[in-house]
Amino acid sequence: MLVAIVFMLLVVGSIAFHLWSPSLGWWFLPRASHWDQIDLTLDITFWVTGFVFVAVNLFMAYAVVKYRNRGEDSKPAKYEPENPKLELWLTVFTAIGVAAMLAPGLYVWNEFVHVPDEAWEMEVLGEQWRWTYRLPGKDNKLGTSDASLISISNPLGINPKDPFGQDDLIIDTGIVHIPIDKPVKLNLRSKDVLHDFAVAEFRVKMDLVPGLVSYLWFTPTKTGTYDVLCEELCGLAHFTMRGKVVVDTLEDFNAWQSEQMTFAETQAIPAADPELGEGLYAVCSGCHGQSGEGNVALNSPKLTGMSSWYLEQQLHNFKKGIRGSHPDDIYGQQMVAIAGMLVDDSAIRDVSAYITTFPSTPSDSIVIGNVERGEKLWTTCGTCHGMEGQGNYATHSPKLSGQEDWYVRRQLEHFKKGIRGAHDDDRFGHQMMSMARMLRSEKDMKDILAFMNKLPTQMPGEQLALAQREGVEE
Amino acid sequence: MEAISILAFIFTAVAISYWWLWRQRIFDKPWVEEGTEADDRETIGGGLATANTALFAFLAVVTSLFALFISAYFTRMELNDWSPLTEPSSLWFNTGILMLASVSVHWCTRTINKTTYKAMLLATGVFTFGFIWGQYAAWQQLWAAGYYLNTNPANSFFFLFTALHALHLFGGLWVWTRATFRVFTEVDVEKAKMSVELCRTYWHFLLIVWLVLFALLLST
Amino acid sequence: MAYVAYTDREHDFAHPHSWVTKYVWSQDHKVIAIQYGLTAIAVGVVALVLSAFMRLQLGFPDTFSIITPSEYYQYVTMHGMIMVVYLLTALFLGGFGNYLIPLMIGARDMVFPFMNMLSFWFYLLSVVILMASFFVPGGPTGAGWTLYPPQAILFGTPGADWGILLMLISLGVFIIAFTMGGLNYVTTVLQARTRGLTLMRLPLSIWGILTATVLGLLAFPALLVSAIMMTLDNLIGTSFFMPALVSMGELQEHQGGSPVLFQHLFWFFGHPEVYIVALPAFGIVSDLLSVHARKNIFGYRMMVWAIVIIGGLSFIVWAHHMYVSGMNPYFGFFFATTTLIIAVPTAIKVYNWVLTLWQGNIHLRVPMLFSIGFIFTFIHGGLTGLFLGNVVIDLPLSDTYFVVAHFHMVMGVSPVLVIYGALYHWFPKITGKMYNATLGKFHFWLTFLGCYAIYLPMHYLGFLGVPRRYYAYEGIDFIPNSALMLNTQISTAALFVAVVQLLFFINVIWSLMYGRKSDPNPWGATTLEWQTPENPPAHGNWGKELPGVYRWAYDYSVPGAEKDFIPQNTPPRPGEKIEF
């Protein structure tokens, strides 16, 4: 008896939960693409399966009540091996239900498979753990690309000899804009492992597979900013592989597009000049020291040993207020003011290049912790920053070996509290915010810094070789 | 297209199962039949019939394994970095030897002459070891020419196929060794003869597998 | 009678004398079944604990998060692989298959007892290798239970050096173990059935186990093939699955391989694997329902056909796991169609279970509660499968929590409910003792309701678009606080359910020590395992003579019979009508 009542309650409860969930936000997000047919197919499936769920379970509950054993005076069960007619009817009935769901499903899938001719094409490139985009530029055609051409200055591996590639727009901020009401085909490509491009509001998603180009298409129907998530497990930092897509009106889109750099422009950036940087460094030296050795008393970290790309990125972020503008970040605010004195990107490049000419300096180890435990925690950090803490441009992770522990500690605390990394445009900072949360306690913090202090400060050979090839360091 | 060999295998396996079930009268209504007459099996749980059933089930497993590898081979072949391998001509010779092994084990089970039996049993082993040695020699030839397991996917598959096939032969040779030992020491000869019966099926099967693989390698 | 009952020959049946040959190196199928069962349950408890850590991380990210992202992905992977392969497959086939097959078909043992024993020891070895990966540098693999390359063998995924290797080796050993066991099960069912036991007189448990074993024998090679090729890619540098790629800024030496090929091979195994778990559950639950409803299973023939048809179809639906994998999208049409077709025989099974209850005489004992609970969760999980199988609906739902909720409902909760039902049902046979019914009922209610509280809301996270396999969710704008709250609620329910499982272990231990002695056939069941001369059955099962079978397995409440069941080995009554 109890079983039957509970089952009826579960059926009613499930329906109630279903009806109630949208008001609590446990439901599909409002659609922002033209795929209303997907939602329709879903509705049909809901009706068919919902009916079966209610009917079969209530029938079962009723059967349990009606035919439960009531002791001695219970009626014996009926001996009925089968009922071919009934079974046939149930089969036919089920087949109709299945067909009612399948037919629209296949119809809409056919729409999805066939991209309309008027769709414009763009490229989404996934890599551990971020999104990069390429728009076709004025000629409306994407240039060819190859994994073997990928380098720091050509992160998408675009073929420099292909004329179609020259005017392609490279979007390396993780935020891409697309115009409303124009069907778009996304060509999906991966640099390293499987990823999956998913925007809940667009309803469609597809994996990115290294070695081939997959695709999806849709027509955006609502302006706004939407989260792009990677939805195929792609390694340790999978959950931090986020991005944004902004659906713009055509005017806004054109305005945004005109600000982006073409592939040809990215290739034409002049080399940095450390001699010019020396002059610019004067303002830095007051706090960071004549040769970048840092000053604990002034809360200025040492700068030696850092890669130029990282220095450039941070100076850029300070200048734009992406880093250091949080009210609780006192020293960051100072840097925002100082970085503002560097007039443009080329000044930033020059001063960064100058800083990398400093000989490396030792750093003091202050923190005492359990090194072995720290090593276990380090497996997570080392994935991006390198197991030896050597840093890695590919994941935009700075070198940590030889860093000063007091400084790293403050940064980790800032990441944890959202003082650093919370800015919308700071995508690598966002990733560190998620990662730093794994350090729960004072002990975790001390242990991992204690391990970091033990890392060799020399740069391993292969990383150096890569750096030399790219001509960015030393 | 690529999935064709595995789908062919699955359809065959399912078709055979269904056909067999059909013959087991799975359309009868069991509740109206009483008594024991409905059973026409000769033995229950033992003897050659049981061993044969197990062997055939095992062969189905091995067929599945090779069919899947062949499917993978077809798929991988379609991709653009494939460069076909020139198979060493000694494979023809090896094939001949494996056929002789198959013939001798077959002969073995058909003779009533004790000496012929022993001679053919020994010949089976000798030919089989000869085949495996020949395959190894073919590997060496390829290595000498600079083709290694990881040189090209075509090479990878060649080494993989030949190695797996040889591994299965080694499994057979283990059974053969036991049986031969029993025949020559005249201990448990009945059991040994049953093993040889099973060996016959197994050797024929592995010959067919090799012919399929060889034809595949030659034709691509 | 022209039969030679081969296994009756005494010399094939040397009875063990020492403790070691009786309980450790035993060749008795019942002992091997218990060894398999205990190992599977032990490793399952490990996987359950791992899931508790995961749920703590997801539900209480600010207070109870005690694992790092590396550990999270490692636990996700190990939880999945252990539950699917090392618990469910091993328990249903190695455990129940071993115990039930010889008893239900009236045989003295498996036809190859030695190989049967080897099967268990290989299984144990595979478990040891798997567990060893927790203790190697870098820990177990964190590539997800699907082990997709390239990431599975590249730096950037936890355990990409030792963990993945041990996982692949362990799977290889498991496949060897399974093949040895599986050949035994199939051959035993086909060859060692006692006199009069035609296929159509087999209980559905045996049909389910037999079909699942055949699926396993044909499907596990696909896993072996992919494991071998991935190992070579990893160690030797071949390029079966590895395309040219730049990992962490470094160009790899691989060229031209196809990650999608791996997925095809994996799911060619992976989908039948679902039915390797489901079909034995289908079979066993059919028998449980019939016994405790005192009614023949409704539509026995249809049930057999459905099992066989599902088994066949399960080989041609695999790519429905890959709709958004980047494979040729035209495959979607074929696989969506086959997938939805498979719903028809499955639905028929559900109808027939429910119709078995109809006009029955239902005893709501503990195994029956679990069986009815199974029908409920299986209907739920089966229906959500229609969403995912219907290719376009998979576009929004794939890789979200909807998928997690669906497969946990259909192949987590449902088979586990059957396992519990079966363990309670056969407990008196295996141990000779009765379990504590009150404790059993508590166990059922808390588990069943708890699981529903976990998985029903989880579907709705999926509708919202919350992705699976995320260590943390902060910073995703579209996920409202209410969804994070729901996650907390789900975690609470999950931890509750995990703890509640202690009731089962307490019940088993208590009953073994203090439980009252059970009747040989406490439920009044017709099938042969309840008709053994000793309870629990002794080595050799049947005393001097094998039982003969005279009727099908479901003669319950036959009009005019003395009792409400007629065991299969009861000869026809004088004058009883025999029709053909």
Side-chain angles (χ1 to χ4, degrees):
Chain A
M1 196 64 186
L2 181 63
V3 193
I5 294 168
V6 173
F7 277 24
M8 286 178 209
L9 286 177
L10 280 181
V11 171
V12 175
S14 302
I15 295 170
F17 185 89
H18 179 81
L19 297 174
W20 181 48
S21 60
S23 65
L24 284 168
W26 305 333
W27 193 241
F28 285 94
L29 294 164
R31 190 165 26 80
S33 76
H34 78 293
W35 285 116
D36 54 335
Q37 290 168 320
I38 291 181
D39 287 5
L40 181 69
T41 317
L42 198 89
D43 287 342
I44 296 172
T45 310
F46 256 118
W47 281 107
V48 175
T49 55
F51 171 77
V52 176
F53 177 74
V54 173
V56 179
N57 279 318
L58 289 184
F59 180 78
M60 180 165 77
Y62 178 62
V64 172
V65 179
K66 192 161 162 81
Y67 297 105
R68 71 183 190 280
N69 178 279
R70 295 158 215 242
E72 288 301 308
D73 52 339
S74 231
K75 250 174 62 178
K78 195 180 172 201
Y79 187 75
E80 188 189 23
E82 66 180 10
N83 182 341
K85 213 165 152 188
L86 176 64
E87 287 171 84
L88 182 68
W89 272 113
L90 285 171
T91 309
V92 171
F93 176 74
T94 309
I96 292 171
V98 164
M101 292 182 284
L102 181 62
L106 294 182
Y107 176 81
V108 183
W109 183 248
N110 193 45
E111 302 275 298
F112 178 75
V113 170
H114 294 103
V115 184
D117 293 336
E118 69 270 23
W120 68 284
E121 288 188 31
M122 61 174 276
E123 179 179 79
V124 179
L125 182 86
E127 69 188 285
Q128 289 169 324
W129 284 276
R130 66 178 188 273
W131 302 100
T132 317
Y133 303 91
R134 180 156 65 119
L135 271 59
K138 292 205 168 57
D139 60 4
N140 266 325
K141 243 185 143 99
L142 292 164
T144 52
S145 58
D146 193 275
S148 63
L149 297 169
I150 291 173
S151 67
I152 292 184
S153 56
N154 185 3
L156 279 78
I158 297 168
N159 181 359
K161 293 187 184 120
D162 186 344
F164 292 119
Q166 296 302 322
D167 68 340
D168 288 359
L169 302 174
I170 313 289
I171 316 297
D172 199 10
T173 57
I175 302 171
V176 70
H177 292 234
I178 50 174
I180 193 170
D181 292 334
K182 283 177 87 170
V184 57
K185 179 189 181 198
L186 304 188
N187 290 322
L188 308 171
R189 198 156 66 85
S190 168
K191 208 188 248 188
D192 39 36
V193 301
L194 304 172
H195 301 283
D196 186 282
F197 181 87
V199 178
E201 288 90 342
F202 294 156
R203 297 292 186 266
V204 287
K205 64 164 71 79
M206 189 55 70
D207 278 8
L208 288 68
V209 185
L212 60 85
V213 180
S214 50
Y215 70 90
L216 58 82
W217 77 276
F218 59 92
T219 309
T221 55
K222 226 166 81 182
T223 55
T225 305
Y226 306 103
D227 285 300
V228 178
L229 300 182
C230 176
E231 297 200 359
E232 180 66 76
L233 178 56
C234 59
L236 181 79
H238 166 56
F239 67 103
T240 64
M241 186 167 167
R242 320 257 176 93
K244 302 255 185 223
V245 54
V246 181
V247 177
D248 273 340
T249 59
L250 193 59
E251 303 84 72
D252 290 350
F253 172 73
N254 285 334
W256 172 83
Q257 199 178 16
S258 63
E259 289 166 14
Q260 306 307 315
M261 271 181 136
T262 65
F263 175 63
E265 281 163 4
T266 62
Q267 299 302 293
I269 296 173
D273 183 350
E275 281 172 30
L276 286 174
E278 188 172 0
L280 295 166
Y281 185 72
V283 65
C284 318
S285 61
C287 298
H288 289 282
Q290 280 304 320
S291 49
E293 66 273 17
N295 187 336
V296 191
L298 294 171
N299 288 296
S300 309
K302 75 168 191 178
L303 301 174
T304 63
M306 302 311 293
S307 312
S308 59
W309 59 261
Y310 181 70
L311 294 167
E312 285 171 24
Q313 184 186 307
Q314 295 310 310
L315 284 170
H316 177 85
N317 285 356
F318 279 126
K319 191 171 149 64
K320 299 264 170 187
I322 294 169
R323 180 178 171 189
S325 56
H326 193 281
D328 291 343
D329 193 356
I330 305 155
Y331 312 113
Q333 284 170 353
Q334 294 175 359
M335 270 307 293
V336 171
I338 303 284
M341 294 159 81
L342 296 164
V343 288
D344 57 8
D345 278 355
S346 82
I348 287 177
R349 273 198 305 279
D350 292 342
V351 75
S352 303
Y354 176 66
I355 293 170
T356 57
T357 62
F358 295 147
S360 74
T361 50
S363 48
D364 300 324
S365 308
I366 302 168
V367 171
I368 296 166
N370 180 340
V371 178
E372 275 169 35
R373 197 166 162 272
E375 184 172 9
K376 271 195 84 181
L377 292 168
W378 182 262
T379 46
T380 301
C381 316
T383 305
C384 290
H385 292 276
M387 280 314 192
E388 309 273 286
Q390 70 269 34
N392 190 345
Y393 177 76
T395 51
H396 280 242
S397 308
K399 181 178 167 189
L400 291 177
S401 65
Q403 260 296 1
E404 287 156 308
D405 52 18
W406 63 267
Y407 173 73
V408 175
R409 183 194 178 122
R410 179 189 300 147
Q411 298 312 309
L412 285 171
E413 270 161 6
H414 281 188
F415 280 127
K416 268 183 77 174
K417 291 182 192 142
I419 296 171
R420 179 177 172 188
H423 192 282
D424 272 350
D425 290 337
D426 191 359
R427 55 179 168 154
F428 301 109
H430 270 299
Q431 294 186 327
M432 270 310 295
M433 279 173 65
S434 292
M435 286 297 177
R437 296 181 63 125
M438 71 175 241
L439 301 168
R440 296 288 152 189
S441 60
E442 180 68 16
K443 187 169 162 31
D444 288 351
M445 192 73 90
K446 280 187 172 163
D447 293 348
I448 202 148
L449 290 173
F451 178 75
M452 192 192 82
N453 283 336
K454 297 273 182 231
L455 291 168
T457 45
Q458 282 300 321
M459 221 186 195
E462 64 224 70
Q463 193 66 19
L464 193 66
L466 176 75
Q468 276 164 352
R469 193 168 72 232
E470 298 302 330
V472 291
E473 200 165 328
E474 286 166 334
Chain B
M1 271 301 98
E2 298 92 64
I4 218 147
S5 67
I6 185 60
L7 282 180
F9 165 70
I10 280 303
F11 280 126
T12 319
V14 171
I16 291 173
S17 315
Y18 285 1
W19 170 78
W20 180 83
L21 285 171
W22 184 286
R23 297 204 341 165
Q24 300 297 310
R25 304 185 299 142
I26 62 161
F27 293 94
D28 291 2
K29 296 175 179 170
W31 52 91
V32 295
E33 295 172 9
E34 293 191 34
T36 57
E37 281 79 357
D39 193 334
D40 55 2
R41 286 168 303 148
E42 283 170 13
T43 59
I44 291 179
L48 193 59
T50 297
N52 258 328
T53 307
L55 179 62
F56 275 101
F58 179 65
L59 296 188
V61 176
V62 179
T63 314
S64 176
L65 185 77
F66 278 103
L68 283 156
F69 266 119
I70 292 170
S71 265
Y73 183 85
F74 279 129
T75 313
R76 190 65 185 78
M77 208 173 75
E78 302 288 309
L79 301 171
N80 49 23
D81 66 325
W82 183 274
S83 75
L85 178 79
T86 323
E87 287 78 16
S89 52
S90 64
L91 292 183
W92 286 100
F93 177 73
N94 296 350
T95 309
I97 293 191
L98 189 62
M99 283 178 172
L100 287 179
S102 221
V103 169
S104 50
V105 72
H106 196 92
W107 194 336
C108 200
T109 57
R110 287 297 144 92
T111 182
I112 45 165
N113 183 322
K114 230 173 166 180
T115 326
T116 324
Y117 190 91
K118 285 183 176 176
M120 282 302 121
L121 194 56
L122 276 183
T124 307
V126 171
F127 284 133
T128 311
F129 276 116
F131 171 80
I132 294 172
W133 179 83
Q135 297 287 82
Y136 181 67
W139 280 18
Q140 281 179 319
Q141 242 175 300
L142 284 171
W143 288 335
Y147 293 112
Y148 297 97
L149 180 60
N150 56 1
T151 312
N152 186 278
N155 300 44
S156 312
F157 272 107
F158 176 81
F159 285 111
L160 203 55
F161 282 160
T162 46
L164 271 177
H165 182 255
L167 204 63
H168 282 89
L169 275 176
F170 274 121
L173 281 172
W174 184 63
V175 177
W176 169 87
T177 311
R178 262 189 5 179
T180 311
F181 186 75
R182 279 182 180 152
V183 167
F184 278 84
T185 56
E186 309 210 333
V187 184
D188 261 345
V189 178
E190 279 311 304
K191 241 183 181 166
K193 285 195 166 171
M194 205 171 94
S195 294
V196 176
E197 291 275 330
L198 298 175
C199 280
R200 184 190 60 196
T201 315
Y202 191 63
W203 254 257
H204 291 348
F205 170 78
L206 283 183
L207 175 63
I208 294 168
V209 169
W210 171 246
L211 291 176
V212 170
L213 292 177
F214 191 38
L216 179 74
L217 291 167
L218 283 181
S219 65
T220 53
Chain C
M1 251 171 273
Y3 313 120
V4 184
Y6 194 83
T7 44
D8 266 3
R9 296 199 321 212
E10 197 53 36
H11 71 265
D12 278 355
F13 254 84
H15 288 276
H17 297 295
S18 76
W19 187 85
V20 173
T21 45
K22 216 167 168 179
Y23 296 110
V24 183
W25 304 108
S26 173
Q27 301 189 20
D28 181 353
H29 72 100
K30 298 183 292 298
V31 178
I32 295 173
I34 292 167
Q35 290 173 327
Y36 248 116
L38 291 179
T39 314
I41 290 171
V43 77
V45 169
V46 173
L48 187 72
V49 171
L50 295 181
S51 71
F53 280 116
M54 283 144 53
R55 278 322 312 183
L56 279 173
Q57 165 63 32
L58 293 174
F60 309 95
D62 295 316
T63 35
F64 286 121
S65 161
I66 39 182
I67 56 176
T68 63
S70 303
E71 286 163 336
Y72 180 79
Y73 288 115
Q74 289 168 328
Y75 293 178
V76 166
T77 307
M78 295 301 268
H79 169 81
M81 192 61 98
I82 289 174
M83 286 300 193
V84 172
V85 174
Y86 297 86
L87 169 67
L88 289 172
T89 307
L91 189 52
F92 270 120
L93 299 178
F96 288 110
N98 251 319
Y99 198 87
L100 295 178
I101 289 173
L103 281 168
M104 280 188 155
I105 67 168
R108 295 208 180 276
D109 207 318
M110 290 289 174
V111 287
F112 307 116
F114 181 75
M115 196 159 87
N116 204 21
M117 177 183 81
L118 274 189
S119 166
F120 167 71
W121 290 101
F122 269 79
Y123 165 62
L124 189 65
L125 179 66
S126 76
V127 168
V128 169
I129 295 173
L130 188 74
M131 290 300 133
S133 69
F134 279 104
F135 304 100
V136 295
T141 176
W145 91 280
T146 49
L147 306 178
Y148 282 172
Q151 51 262 50
I153 56 174
L154 285 179
F155 181 77
T157 298
D161 30 22
W162 284 97
I164 183 71
L165 206 59
L166 285 179
M167 171 66 85
L168 295 173
I169 294 170
S170 170
L171 285 171
V173 175
F174 181 90
I175 293 166
I176 295 171
F178 178 84
T179 309
M180 290 196 288
L183 292 175
N184 236 327
Y185 311 152
V186 172
T187 314
T188 305
V189 173
L190 295 186
Q191 291 289 339
R193 292 181 325 256
T194 189
R195 300 185 304 281
L197 190 55
T198 59
L199 284 185
M200 288 310 269
R201 284 177 174 174
L202 286 174
L204 286 168
S205 295
I206 299 297
W207 271 108
I209 291 168
L210 173 68
T211 316
T213 307
V214 173
L215 296 190
L217 287 173
L218 299 181
F220 267 111
L223 186 61
L224 188 62
V225 166
S226 40
I228 290 173
M229 301 209 302
M230 182 140 76
T231 310
L232 291 176
D233 275 3
N234 192 5
L235 296 182
I236 316 279
T238 53
S239 300
F240 292 111
F241 305 133
M242 300 293 279
L245 55 89
V246 178
S247 169
M248 296 280 172
E250 283 175 54
L251 187 66
Q252 305 289 305
E253 60 191 67
H254 303 284
Q255 265 300 330
S258 165
V260 178
L261 171 60
F262 176 89
Q263 298 182 25
H264 278 297
L265 287 169
F266 182 86
W267 288 114
F268 187 84
F269 144 76
H271 196 80
E273 170 63 34
V274 173
Y275 289 96
I276 292 169
V277 172
L279 291 179
F282 289 176
I284 288 171
V285 85
S286 306
D287 285 352
L288 264 53
L289 286 166
S290 175
V291 173
H292 297 281
R294 315 307 301 152
K295 193 179 163 215
N296 62 283
I297 190 76
F298 184 85
Y300 174 82
R301 297 192 303 162
M302 204 68 143
M303 293 300 253
V304 171
W305 302 338
I307 285 179
V308 173
I309 288 170
I310 291 171
L313 282 175
S314 74
F315 278 105
I316 51 167
V317 296
W318 78 86
H320 68 212
H321 299 268
M322 300 166 58
Y323 289 145
V324 298
S325 71
M327 68 169 177
N328 185 341
Y330 286 92
F331 288 0
F333 296 106
F334 175 77
F335 285 103
T337 309
T338 52
T339 302
L340 264 69
I341 287 174
I342 215 171
V344 178
T346 314
I348 289 168
K349 295 198 74 75
V350 175
Y351 302 147
N352 284 2
W353 290 325
V354 178
L355 287 168
T356 302
L357 298 175
W358 187 248
Q359 297 179 326
N361 178 12
I362 301 167
H363 293 257
L364 290 170
R365 303 177 187 117
V366 179
M368 188 60 156
L369 289 176
F370 276 100
S371 307
I372 298 176
F374 160 83
I375 300 179
F376 187 89
T377 57
F378 185 74
I379 290 173
H380 201 287
L383 291 174
T384 51
L386 290 166
F387 287 71
L388 296 171
N390 199 353
V391 57
V392 285
I393 307 178
D394 190 54
L395 285 173
L397 295 181
S398 179
D399 296 314
T400 67
Y401 264 93
F402 186 87
V403 179
V404 181
H406 157 71
F407 71 68
H408 275 92
M409 201 73 138
V410 80
M411 79 173 290
V413 178
S414 299
V416 168
L417 289 179
V418 174
I419 284 173
Y420 279 130
L423 287 173
Y424 284 109
H425 181 78
W426 279 294
F427 188 79
K429 179 53 52 180
I430 298 170
T431 65
K433 301 279 184 76
M434 275 311 281
Y435 57 81
N436 181 312
T438 318
L439 216 50
K441 282 183 183 172
F442 265 110
H443 177 216
F444 166 73
W445 282 114
L446 299 179
T447 306
F448 173 70
L449 292 175
C451 285
Y452 204 62
I454 301 172
Y455 295 110
L456 178 74
M458 202 184 270
H459 290 91
Y460 289 79
L461 288 180
F463 290 143
L464 175 64
V466 178
R468 63 190 284 212
R469 290 169 165 172
Y470 266 40
Y471 169 77
Y473 291 99
E474 64 262 338
I476 303 178
D477 293 340
F478 73 75
I479 300 179
N481 275 333
S482 64
L484 300 178
M485 232 176 61
L486 202 56
N487 238 340
T488 309
Q489 177 271 314
I490 290 171
S491 286
T492 314
L495 293 165
F496 174 75
V497 170
V499 174
V500 158
Q501 302 317 306
L502 282 174
L503 287 179
F504 173 73
F505 294 102
I506 292 169
N507 200 346
V508 168
I509 293 166
W510 186 89
S511 305
L512 279 175
M513 290 166 69
Y514 309 111
R516 71 179 164 79
K517 200 164 171 290
S518 148
D519 292 338
N521 188 1
W523 317 127
T526 59
T527 41
L528 289 178
E529 81 274 22
W530 298 102
Q531 325 302 335
T532 53
E534 288 110 344
N535 189 46
H539 188 237
N541 295 347
W542 305 106
K544 284 227 148 37
E545 209 177 322
L546 289 177
V549 166
Y550 302 94
R551 58 191 73 242
W552 72 324
Y554 298 95
D555 264 347
Y556 292 102
S557 307
V558 180
E562 284 166 43
K563 287 194 267 184
D564 66 352
F565 71 104
I566 311 175
Q568 283 190 278
N569 59 347
T570 309
R573 290 160 286 162
E576 192 175 5
K577 203 170 78 178
I578 297 173
E579 290 175 41
F580 285 97

